Amino acid sequence: MTFGVFSAAIAGVAFTGHEVEFVVNLGASGLVASLLYFVVGFGKITMMTLNAYSSYMSSATLVNGFRGKATVSVGHRFIYVSAMILLAVSIALWGSGSFIHAFSSFLLFLLTFISPWSAICLADWQWGHRSKCDLQALNDPQGIYGRWNWSVISIYFIGLLMELPFVSSSIYTGPIASLLDGADISWLVGLIGTGIVYYIYSRILTPASMKIQAAD
């Protein structure tokens, strides 16, 4: 990322729309080419390692939440990581013809789903439980949090619905985004709108049992 920022700053207009060509042309000499290969290779290895680890942690957390276990064996870790790497490589090869464009669109569209979730987490931290949490109850379907918190799940989907008119991507473009000449402010709407709805819920509609727990 740092390399890309400096390249764009130095090249200016020549960099926009010709990013790959510009970087390749920098490697005219052996020393520069070696440096470029090292930067790109090291960055790729680092990111792939972090991505594999993050996907393993997310998958293991999701699966163990249903299994009710807090540990993962070495064999299961290997299976998780290998499966995620295989899936990622398969997707990259499948979309190699226009991968950068498709991946950029996917990340922007993914932001639509992350914003309401982030708003709920931030609002809960600030106005809800204020970092107070019963860790044991999180792993207990019969605990105060229950198996599913349908109220908060509903707030999440309300946030998604609020964002839809403002989404601008190759996958979907909302009517308000079209009026804004393609400007995508759905993430901002999702953050603010979902945060307000969750604030009202946490202050007025939160079950008494959870309020007592938050105050302990």
Side-chain angles (χ1 to χ4, degrees):
M1 293 176 65
T2 303
F3 176 74
V5 170
F6 279 110
S7 298
I10 295 173
V13 180
F15 186 79
T16 305
H18 307 281
E19 295 85 356
V20 176
E21 181 181 357
F22 178 81
V23 173
V24 170
N25 290 335
L26 290 177
S29 65
L31 180 60
V32 175
S34 299
L35 178 61
L36 289 176
Y37 284 134
F38 173 78
V39 171
V40 173
F42 183 77
K44 293 295 184 181
I45 293 174
T46 302
M47 289 305 300
M48 286 300 296
T49 302
L50 291 175
N51 289 340
Y53 174 76
S54 299
S55 63
Y56 149 70
M57 290 295 293
S58 300
S59 302
T61 301
L62 179 64
V63 173
N64 282 358
F66 288 97
R67 295 174 61 202
K69 295 183 178 181
T71 59
V72 181
S73 66
V74 176
H76 283 165
R77 295 177 193 175
F78 179 79
I79 293 175
Y80 282 129
V81 173
S82 299
M84 287 301 172
I85 292 177
L86 180 61
L87 177 62
V89 172
S90 300
I91 294 175
L93 292 176
W94 174 70
S96 59
S98 58
F99 179 75
I100 297 298
H101 176 71
F103 187 62
S104 299
S105 299
F106 170 74
L107 290 180
L108 291 175
F109 195 67
L110 188 63
L111 185 62
T112 304
F113 296 90
I114 294 178
S115 295
W117 174 81
S118 301
I120 291 173
C121 292
L122 292 172
D124 185 72
W125 178 273
Q126 184 64 32
W127 300 306
H129 294 88
R130 290 186 175 273
S131 76
K132 294 182 174 63
C133 179
D134 188 340
L135 296 179
Q136 296 299 324
L138 288 176
N139 296 317
D140 182 8
Q142 308 304 322
I144 62 170
Y145 302 119
R147 186 178 296 274
W148 300 98
N149 191 331
W150 291 110
S151 298
V152 179
I153 292 175
S154 299
I155 293 174
Y156 173 79
F157 282 105
I158 290 173
L160 288 179
L161 292 176
M162 287 190 292
E163 287 182 306
L164 284 180
F166 300 90
V167 173
S168 177
S169 69
S170 60
I171 301 175
Y172 167 80
T173 299
I176 298 181
S178 298
L179 295 176
L180 297 175
D181 293 329
D184 190 334
I185 60 171
S186 60
W187 62 273
L188 184 60
V189 174
L191 279 175
I192 297 176
T194 309
I196 292 174
V197 174
Y198 186 82
Y199 173 81
I200 296 174
Y201 166 78
S202 64
R203 290 294 186 179
I204 302 175
L205 303 176
T206 302
S209 59
M210 294 186 69
K211 287 185 177 181
I212 294 173
Q213 180 65 30
D216 289 341

